[in-house]
């Protein structure tokens, strides 16, 4: 991937800054070792970064259409505005903003990004 080197450099700079600020006095009293405690805290921070990246990317999605196809019945649903919801990502919890539609046929709200899971 062409961007790998660039991403590695950015991650190294960010990791250096976070390590200085967040790993200075890691509590290792309940860890297997000091290194184990450092790794545990680093994993917690990386999970927070991943969840925040998902939240920010979801917030920058382009404006939605006035209508969207209901994944349950296939009829058109009307845009109801943006909806905030908590989301459990693979790396931890976050809150995203997503478009909500209402299907008059099913009489339910639906969220196109869910591919019909909640309709
Ligand atoms: Zn429907």
């Amino acid at each position: 991937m062409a961007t790998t080197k660039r991403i590695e450099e950015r991650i190294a700079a960010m990791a250096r800054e976070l390590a200085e600020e967040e790993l200075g006095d890691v509590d290792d009293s309940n860890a297997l070792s000091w290194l184990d405690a450092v790794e545990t805290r680093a994993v917690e921070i990386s999970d927070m970064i991943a969840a925040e990246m998902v939240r920010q990317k979801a917030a920058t999605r382009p404006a939605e259409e006035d209508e969207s196809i209901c994944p349950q019945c296939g009829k058109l649903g009307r845009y109801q505005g943006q909806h905030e919801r908590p989301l459990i990502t693979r790396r931890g919890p976050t809150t995203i903003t997503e478009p909500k539609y209402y299907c008059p046929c099913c009489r339910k709200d639906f969220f196109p990004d869910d591919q019909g899971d909640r309709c």
Side-chain angles (χ1 to χ4, degrees), residues 37-51:
V38 168
E39 182 181 1
T40 297
R41 183 65 182 138
V43 168
E44 290 171 355
I45 293 169
S46 66
D47 287 351
M48 293 166 64
I49 291 170

Side-chain angles (χ1 to χ4, degrees), residues 3 5 11 16 28 31 37-38 43-45 49 57 61 72 80-82 93 108:
T3 58
K5 183 69 175 166
I11 290 171
R16 189 170 29 255
D28 62 354
V38 168
V43 168
E44 290 171 355
I45 293 169
I49 291 170
K57 189 62 180 174
R61 293 194 59 165
Q72 189 161 340
Q80 301 295 303
Q82 293 297 105
K108 292 181 181 176

Side-chain angles (χ1 to χ4, degrees), residues 26-119:
V26 170
D27 177 13
D28 62 354
S29 58
N30 293 322
L32 298 174
S33 65
W34 173 83
L35 191 56
D36 178 58
V38 168
E39 182 181 1
T40 297
R41 183 65 182 138
V43 168
E44 290 171 355
I45 293 169
S46 66
D47 287 351
M48 293 166 64
I49 291 170
E52 180 63 16
M53 288 175 67
V54 170
R55 187 196 68 76
Q56 288 193 19
K57 189 62 180 174
T60 61
R61 293 194 59 165
E64 295 296 324
E65 302 293 324
D66 288 342
E67 297 175 321
S68 183
I69 295 173
C70 173
Q72 189 161 340
C73 70
K75 303 238 164 112
L76 286 176
R78 296 286 304 165
Y79 179 67
Q80 301 295 303
Q82 293 297 105
H83 172 77
E84 274 195 3
R85 73 169 162 125
L87 177 71
I88 305 297
T89 70
R90 282 174 282 181
R91 306 305 293 195
T94 190
T95 301
I96 64 168
T97 302
E98 64 185 341
K100 177 172 78 174
Y101 293 85
Y102 179 77
C103 176
C105 182
C106 298
R107 296 182 179 177
K108 292 181 181 176
D109 292 331
F110 67 91
F111 306 87
D113 290 343
D114 275 354
Q115 301 171 349
D117 295 351
R118 292 189 294 172
C119 183

